[in-house]
Amino acid sequence: MRAEHADPLIPDEVDARDLHPSARNELKTLQPDVQERVSRHLAMVAFLIDDDPELAHQHAVSASRRAGRIPVARETLAITAYRTGDYALALREFRTYRRLSGLDGHVALMVDCERGLGRPEKAIETGLEVDAQTLDTDARVHLAIAMSGARLDLGQTQQALFELEIPELNPKKAFSWSPALFAAYAAVLEDLGRASEAKTWNQHADRAFAALAEHHGGSDELEVFEIEESELEPEFDAEYDADADADADADADADADADAAEAEAEAEAEAEAEAADPVGAEPETEQPEAEQPETEEPATEGPAIEDPAVEDISIEDEVDELLAAAGITDDAPAEPEAEERSE
């Protein structure tokens, strides 16, 4: 049986049309008088949620009692229960809303409800049940923050940092969720003992909050500030660069060692081959004294053709030698020779 509940008063000036049109559209299946009553209660929730969450919760209960099968009524009740710290009721109503609507937009609040009930392991399971890529950006960022908090509850500080390292962690732009994301990241860095980086991200959170306050009511995406590269987390960047350089040096040393080992192995193999067959190894490396050009025509077979001029020169030389041996020279007179032949 339901507990007794007294409907809170609704001022006369509050009209059903004060409720958002999309929420009013969900209530069209109700009877006209019930539809108007529920709309006014939900409008009161919107007016009171920030200033008086308890009274807002009472209006949400009244609306849910009259429209229990309408998703927006159960969603509103879940949110007001969460704001008042009734995590068990909030978790139950969020699950009902998800079943009625088929939407996972409040999974981050469900994770927080599990944390509020002292069940961080169940909180992580709840967050992992949903594919974060199917969520809109706002829900995805708040899920990362909630999951990071659950990791902290379990003492998993490094994992808590990883949960927050998402593409939306961009200090150059401000969205409605940016201050909370930057502040959560700073808190985890501080728990890790990285105080300088934590201070930098707290400054990012403050500047994003100030920019959003200045441009309240503007576009969803605001250019907050342009930061020079040297101003972005100098300690973090230096640490990252040092690690990168160390990894590069290690890779270079490993490559050099591998090359040296390979060269040494080849030299040993060559030495062993020469020692085993010193004679046979030499012809493989010996180069011919003269190689015929590829374009030279091969010599033709058959007798060699002698040059006539060379033959004439050889005969004259032989005649001169014979005359010299006989004591006859070109300077001697021809007549005595004739006389001697006549005698």
Side-chain angles (χ1 to χ4, degrees), residues 75 78-79 82 87 90-99 101-116 119-150 163:
E75 177 187 26
I79 293 173
Y82 175 82
Y87 298 120
L91 186 59
R92 185 189 72 192
E93 293 301 318
F94 278 130
R95 287 173 176 167
T96 302
Y97 166 74
R98 182 170 62 179
R99 185 176 66 253
S101 66
L103 301 176
D104 290 314
H106 295 301
V107 63
L109 296 180
M110 296 173 68
V111 171
D112 265 347
C113 287
E114 294 287 6
R115 293 181 61 207
R119 302 185 298 214
E121 297 92 347
K122 185 63 177 177
I124 293 176
E125 291 179 9
T126 301
L128 294 177
E129 289 173 355
V130 178
D131 183 4
Q133 300 302 319
T134 63
L135 303 175
D136 59 35
T137 304
D138 184 83
R140 185 168 63 252
V141 171
H142 283 97
L143 176 59
I145 295 174
M147 292 290 284
S148 177
E163 295 284 356

Side-chain angles (χ1 to χ4, degrees), residues 206-220:
D206 293 341
R207 296 170 71 178
F209 181 81
L212 289 168
E214 181 181 355
H215 297 85
H216 182 69
S219 61
D220 291 336

Side-chain angles (χ1 to χ4, degrees), residues 255-267:
D255 293 340
D257 293 341
D259 293 341
E262 184 178 357
E264 184 177 355
E266 292 179 355

Side-chain angles (χ1 to χ4, degrees), residues 80-306:
T80 58
Y82 175 82
R83 292 291 297 271
T84 57
D86 191 347
Y87 298 120
L89 175 61
L91 186 59
R92 185 189 72 192
E93 293 301 318
F94 278 130
R95 287 173 176 167
T96 302
Y97 166 74
R98 182 170 62 179
R99 185 176 66 253
L100 293 173
S101 66
L103 301 176
D104 290 314
H106 295 301
V107 63
L109 296 180
M110 296 173 68
V111 171
D112 265 347
C113 287
E114 294 287 6
R115 293 181 61 207
L117 294 171
R119 302 185 298 214
E121 297 92 347
K122 185 63 177 177
I124 293 176
E125 291 179 9
T126 301
L128 294 177
E129 289 173 355
V130 178
D131 183 4
Q133 300 302 319
T134 63
L135 303 175
D136 59 35
T137 304
D138 184 83
R140 185 168 63 252
V141 171
H142 283 97
L143 176 59
I145 295 174
M147 292 290 284
S148 177
R151 297 289 186 184
L152 288 176
D153 293 342
L154 293 172
Q156 301 172 355
T157 312
Q158 189 63 53
Q159 289 87 336
L161 190 69
F162 294 155
E163 295 284 356
L164 298 173
E165 291 177 342
I166 56 179
E168 291 76 17
L169 190 70
N170 181 1
K172 292 185 178 181
K173 295 181 182 292
F175 299 81
S176 59
W177 35 258
S178 296
L181 178 61
F182 298 165
Y185 195 66
V188 179
L189 286 171
E190 189 170 358
D191 287 348
L192 288 172
R194 296 157 65 173
S196 179
E197 294 175 64
K199 180 180 178 181
T200 298
W201 280 98
N202 275 322
Q203 292 173 351
H204 290 328
D206 293 341
R207 296 170 71 178
F209 181 81
L212 289 168
E214 181 181 355
H215 297 85
H216 182 69
S219 61
D220 291 336
E221 180 176 337
L222 300 175
E223 293 287 345
V224 180
F225 39 79
E226 294 295 334
I227 303 178
E228 297 296 333
E229 185 177 357
S230 59
E231 298 180 11
L232 284 174
E233 298 85 51
E235 295 83 1
F236 181 79
D237 289 344
E239 180 181 351
Y240 177 82
D241 292 342
D243 293 341
D245 291 341
D247 293 340
D249 292 341
D251 293 340
D253 292 341
D255 293 340
D257 293 341
D259 293 341
E262 184 178 357
E264 184 177 355
E266 292 179 355
E268 291 178 356
E270 184 177 353
E272 291 177 358
E274 292 179 356
D277 188 11
V279 177
E282 182 176 357
E284 295 179 359
T285 58
E286 183 178 358
Q287 299 295 331
E289 295 180 358
E291 296 181 358
Q292 294 293 335
E294 296 180 358
T295 59
E296 183 178 354
E297 297 181 1
T300 58
E301 296 181 359
I305 300 175
E306 296 181 356

